[in-house]
Amino acid sequence: AGPARMTLIPDLQPMMHGPASWFYQAMEPAPVYVGAGTLPSFATLYAIGWLGDRVESRGETPQECIGILLDAYEAGHRFSDGTMGAHTCEVCPPALPPRGVDYPFAWNGRRTTLYGHGHHLILHGDSLFMCPAMILHYIVHHQYRPPEVFLEAVVQGRILTLADRGLDRRGY
């Protein structure tokens, strides 16, 4: 089987986390982990950028936000989706040649290849935003504009890293 279709989750939809959630149960080897750490129990988890096959919110995204997200991507600050697999962009026209799960990405003279697997976690106050690693592709190539609260979180909050193991504690 090839890459999976991207999951459609409306922006700012609160997501369950903990033993009852599908995301928690899908993780391997131990379901208490998201990538390399547990989610903070004090935070409300919100979905951002899980577009499925359409972009409902279009507009310009601030350059500062794109730069911060690209820095995080290039530094490897993304968490594995466990066994959820790799994803392709369903928004790209089907007439384009298939690229698998690797998407060439260029912005402001910077170049990288985005891989359709994994997600970023951005903590701002008691809110935790989870967006696919492919969010940069959606923003730059499809003019997706994430909600303002997410853009503020990217600039004012903190993108969690693999060093944030055992996230279920205060003191960030």
Side-chain angles (χ1 to χ4, degrees):
R5 296 173 62 91
M6 177 54 76
T7 301
L8 171 61
I9 306 171
D11 279 346
L12 298 176
Q13 177 173 314
M15 303 285 293
M16 282 181 44
H17 61 90
S21 74
W22 66 268
F23 195 78
Y24 179 98
Q25 293 173 7
M27 293 290 115
E28 285 189 2
V32 296
Y33 292 99
V34 172
T38 58
L39 291 172
S41 60
F42 64 83
T44 301
L45 179 65
Y46 296 100
I48 299 289
W50 303 89
L51 303 181
D53 62 0
R54 63 186 171 277
V55 178
E56 293 187 3
S57 174
R58 292 184 187 268
E60 190 171 322
T61 296
Q63 300 291 297
E64 181 180 17
C65 291
I66 297 170
I68 291 169
L69 289 167
L70 183 54
D71 289 345
Y73 185 89
E74 290 178 331
H77 300 321
R78 50 193 186 275
F79 291 81
S80 172
D81 290 331
T83 59
M84 313 272 318
H87 302 275
T88 59
C89 176
E90 293 178 55
V91 181
C92 282
L96 291 178
R99 337 176 202 216
V101 294
D102 295 320
Y103 289 80
F105 181 82
W107 175 79
N108 275 2
R110 295 169 67 180
R111 296 184 181 284
T112 191
T113 299
L114 301 176
Y115 180 62
H117 180 78
H119 57 274
H120 297 290
L121 293 170
I122 298 101
L123 182 66
H124 187 236
D126 287 344
S127 295
L128 183 65
F129 300 93
M130 181 174 68
C131 65
M134 288 283 291
I135 195 166
L136 287 164
H137 172 80
Y138 305 140
I139 289 170
V140 172
H141 294 281
H142 300 297
Q143 294 72 50
Y144 165 62
R145 181 176 168 89
E148 194 64 35
V149 66
F150 173 77
L151 301 176
E152 291 172 11
V154 169
V155 173
Q156 299 170 8
R158 192 163 76 88
I159 295 182
L160 300 181
T161 72
L162 295 178
D164 294 311
R165 296 174 194 268
L167 300 176
D168 197 4
R169 55 184 152 74
R170 290 280 188 174
Y172 293 97

